[in-house]
Amino acid sequence: MNAILVAVIGMVVFALGYRYYSKFVAERIFRLDPNYVTPSHKYKDGVDFVPTNKFVLWGHHFTSVAGAAPILGPAIAVYWGWLPAFLWVVLGTVFAAGVHDFGTLALSVRNKGQSVGTIADRLIGQRAKMLFLFIILILVLMVNAVFAWVISNLFIKYPASVIPVFIQIPLAVWIGYAVYKRQKKMLIPSLIALAVMYITAIIASQVSWLQVDLVSMMGGEEGAGLFGLGAVSSAFFIWIVILMIYVYIASTLPVWKLLQPRDFINSHQLVVGLGILYLGLIFTNPEITAPAVHAANDVSWFPLLFITIACGAISGFHGLVSSGTSSKQLDKETDARFVGYLGAVGEGILALISILAVVTLFPSAAAFTEAYSSFGAANAGGLGNFVEGASSLAGGIGIPASVATTIVSIIIISFAATTLDSSVRLMRYIIAEIGMEYKMPVLSKTHVATSVAVLSSAALVLIPKGPNGFGSGGYLLWPLFGTANQLLAGISLMLIAVWLKKLGRNYMVALIPMIFLLFMTLIAMFQQVFFEWSMWGTNSNMLLFVFGAIIFVFAVWIILTAFNVLTRGIDRKLPVED
């Protein structure tokens, strides 16, 4: 099968989905009003509520939700063949992710910019709200741990990426002041910043002394390191500490100082990175060597395919960003279609090239099958296979392999870092809200809530030890991330359906993907929690079992409550329509 043909089919479906389906949802279902006063204007505070140009906000929104997940999930899921992964990414993006991301944004804008967890109170009751907030809290905690783990390991594996990534921070702060204090345009400065990053990346990939290799600084892999941990573990620990200090600062600064300008730079990275990879696809014109369908003996695709690919098809975390930060920055309500639905499409495009980069990497189907000999092998090698495959595509337009590898790693790290500090900011909101609910006002203070978020995230990623050694907490939680994430997406779609029904509108656009997603996710989660991770399971893991069981019980409780509201029409106060 020709890879270019598959890419063209995917792009056409994405384009049709945005052009027609999102327009139908915006005009006929959500009925967006260009004159509606959005929370960014009504509650403008210069910190969290900041009216933002839709192109800048799209950059923030997309890079906050992208991270490494739309790359890692598809790179693993091709284990079952490229065709199932392709179909789920394309159809999931158009009919599930687009409605979910767009819908949570529109719902939040009509409810003072509040999160979906808070809105659940008025839609399905206070008890459901608190259970939902706790699920969200656990999920963002896992996101923090997983992405901190990913970034630290990429810094260790690709030391040439360190300086280009960190040089982005002062550049973003400079752009923030230029735009919001001096009323300058953001486009040209952000393009200059991107050029500086990539020039630095090219130089660093060729000049060894510009590569921040902490392992080598400690004597190589056999070095003693700090406190006798070994060089690799010590380097990992140092990067985690640095990342946690960074996200503490980034998540408490006003969004215009760092978050928005850095995310706008990263949105250019998306365009440049995807442009390089898709151009490489055209120039190399590779054949897909992986099988269309791979009959796996150890793990069935049903229902795990729909869990393994979360970001890139549909992701509950997107709803947290839509209702947690993006809704507070939306300038006009009609911008929600561009920011929400097109943000989902952007992630689908990224997931599509992730699939193609991996399935065209191997010289033959036998080589692919050998590399993806088991689901465990797919998990272990997925991200590395993408980096290698993407570098091969980039080489098709004349970019040297070392430079291509550095640029690809920079793109992944930049997106993951954006997700990380947005997630910590969201966690701060949730901790503060729980503190207010349970009459612990100290938790509502910005620096107290942020400290709890950062310290708990650091503890989770550092304390557990497993087959991957010191600091494997983030990796160990990755199997639970998919199911928890998809449960959150299903529940968010249920909230959108309840909201639309109470407004007397057609709620099928949310109900149908909700039923499909919850069905798949609950089956997968039940199997994993009680038949795999429990003490009597095939792969006992008490950390995953405890977290998974709590999320599963809370989710079922919320679903039953919401189903009761949806089907019996229990009288609840309608969401605030400012």
Side-chain angles (χ1 to χ4, degrees):
M1 187 72 175
N2 184 267
I4 295 177
L5 177 60
V6 174
V8 169
I9 293 171
M11 291 294 191
V12 168
V13 176
F14 289 145
L16 292 174
Y18 180 72
R19 173 64 180 84
Y20 295 104
Y21 190 59
S22 72
K23 184 179 181 181
F24 164 76
V25 173
E27 296 178 355
R28 303 289 295 276
I29 307 298
F30 296 151
R31 302 177 191 175
L32 303 183
D33 181 2
N35 298 316
Y36 180 78
V37 181
T38 59
S40 69
H41 289 280
K42 190 166 186 177
Y43 307 108
K44 184 177 179 180
D45 60 6
V47 179
D48 295 317
F49 292 87
V50 180
T52 305
N53 175 279
K54 70 177 182 179
F55 295 100
V56 175
L57 182 56
W58 181 86
H60 154 70
H61 178 83
F62 175 77
T63 52
S64 293
V65 301
I71 293 171
L72 182 57
I76 294 171
V78 293
Y79 170 65
W80 295 294
W82 66 264
L83 184 59
F86 170 78
L87 291 175
W88 175 227
V89 163
V90 172
L91 298 179
T93 294
V94 171
F95 296 107
V99 173
H100 170 269
D101 297 12
F102 183 10
T104 48
L105 181 55
L107 176 61
S108 179
V109 167
R110 287 283 173 162
N111 285 270
K112 300 182 177 180
Q114 294 173 331
S115 70
V116 286
T118 303
I119 297 168
D121 186 1
R122 290 188 292 277
L123 283 170
I124 55 178
Q126 186 178 22
R127 182 176 297 171
K129 165 197 168 182
M130 294 312 300
L131 294 176
F132 199 18
L133 284 176
F134 277 113
I135 290 178
I136 294 171
L137 186 65
I138 293 172
L139 178 65
V140 294
L141 179 61
M142 288 191 295
V143 168
N144 295 343
V146 168
F147 280 75
W149 183 88
V150 167
I151 295 168
S152 298
N153 278 282
L154 287 173
F155 276 151
I156 292 171
K157 189 172 183 179
Y158 305 108
S161 66
V162 174
I163 291 179
V165 168
F166 275 91
I167 206 172
Q168 185 188 46
I169 297 173
L171 291 172
V173 172
W174 163 67
I175 293 171
Y177 274 101
V179 171
Y180 289 95
K181 292 297 185 181
R182 299 182 180 179
Q183 304 301 309
K184 303 290 185 181
K185 298 292 184 181
M186 189 179 287
L187 179 60
I188 300 302
S190 62
L191 290 174
I192 293 172
L194 183 64
V196 171
M197 285 181 64
Y198 281 2
I199 291 171
T200 306
I202 292 170
I203 297 172
S205 64
Q206 305 296 323
V207 181
S208 60
W209 59 268
L210 286 176
Q211 300 175 12
V212 184
D213 189 347
L214 295 183
V215 175
S216 296
M217 292 177 185
M218 297 180 192
E221 293 187 6
E222 302 301 323
L226 301 174
F227 316 115
L229 291 173
V232 176
S233 293
S234 297
F236 182 88
F237 175 80
I238 291 170
W239 282 128
I240 290 295
V241 171
I242 292 172
L243 282 173
M244 290 300 140
I245 293 172
Y246 160 74
V247 296
Y248 185 101
I249 297 170
S251 61
T252 54
L253 285 175
V255 291
W256 61 266
K257 281 190 177 180
L258 177 60
L259 195 69
Q260 286 182 352
R262 188 209 48 217
D263 292 353
F264 197 53
I265 298 170
N266 286 339
S267 70
H268 300 324
Q269 284 209 74
L270 165 72
V271 175
V272 171
L274 291 179
I276 289 172
L277 295 181
Y278 278 101
L279 277 176
L281 192 72
I282 293 171
F283 279 95
T284 57
N285 192 23
E287 290 292 317
I288 295 176
T289 53
V293 179
H294 178 216
N297 296 320
D298 56 342
V299 178
S300 172
W301 68 272
F302 177 87
L304 284 185
L305 169 68
F306 308 102
I307 310 305
T308 304
I309 301 179
C311 299
I314 181 172
S315 166
F317 183 73
H318 293 197
L320 300 185
V321 175
S322 289
S323 65
T325 61
S326 298
S327 63
K328 295 177 176 64
Q329 301 170 59
L330 198 73
D331 184 28
K332 296 180 180 179
E333 190 179 45
T334 47
D335 292 345
R337 177 190 172 207
F338 182 86
V339 173
Y341 197 99
L342 194 59
V345 169
E347 192 154 88
I349 293 172
L350 180 57
L352 177 59
I353 197 61
S354 176
I355 293 171
L356 294 176
V358 173
V359 299
T360 58
L361 170 64
F362 300 93
S364 65
F368 172 87
T369 304
E370 182 181 355
Y372 282 79
S373 58
S374 66
F375 190 63
N379 271 279
L383 187 59
N385 289 334
F386 168 78
V387 173
E388 189 176 344
S391 300
S392 177
L393 292 179
I397 57 174
I399 299 177
S402 60
V403 175
T405 300
T406 300
I407 289 176
V408 170
S409 63
I410 288 170
I411 292 172
I412 297 172
I413 293 167
S414 297
F415 287 173
T418 300
T419 302
L420 180 62
D421 59 47
S422 292
S423 180
V424 171
R425 185 180 289 262
L426 291 169
M427 194 171 178
R428 163 167 66 88
Y429 295 156
I430 297 164
I431 291 170
E433 194 163 341
I434 291 174
M436 293 177 65
E437 185 71 29
Y438 288 100
K439 297 180 173 57
M440 294 184 287
V442 65
L443 287 178
S444 64
K445 297 182 180 300
T446 297
H447 291 286
V448 174
T450 305
S451 297
V452 173
V454 168
L455 292 174
S456 59
S457 301
L460 185 58
V461 73
L462 287 173
I463 291 175
K465 296 182 179 180
N468 298 285
F470 175 80
S472 61
Y475 179 84
L476 292 175
L477 284 172
W478 181 256
L480 181 58
F481 172 78
T483 47
N485 198 22
Q486 300 304 67
L487 270 180
L488 180 60
I491 295 170
S492 297
L493 283 169
M494 178 175 281
L495 292 178
I496 296 168
V498 171
W499 174 57
L500 291 174
K501 183 180 181 183
K502 288 179 176 294
L503 294 175
R505 300 175 191 172
N506 184 349
Y507 56 92
M508 290 295 116
V509 294
L511 187 68
I512 293 173
M514 177 210 80
I515 292 172
F516 175 83
L517 195 62
L518 287 179
F519 176 74
M520 293 297 178
T521 307
L522 287 173
I523 291 177
M525 196 166 201
F526 186 81
Q527 290 175 347
Q528 287 181 317
V529 171
F530 298 104
F531 292 97
E532 184 177 351
W533 298 330
S534 64
M535 65 180 68
W536 56 84
T538 57
N539 188 21
S540 181
N541 186 314
M542 291 309 295
L543 179 69
L544 291 175
F545 174 74
V546 170
F547 273 94
I550 292 171
I551 292 173
F552 183 83
V553 171
F554 282 4
V556 170
W557 195 332
I558 294 168
I559 290 167
L560 291 176
T561 303
F563 182 77
N564 198 24
V565 174
L566 194 61
T567 56
R568 297 188 182 183
I570 293 177
D571 185 31
R572 299 284 185 194
K573 183 180 178 182
L574 272 174
V576 174
E577 297 266 340
D578 295 319

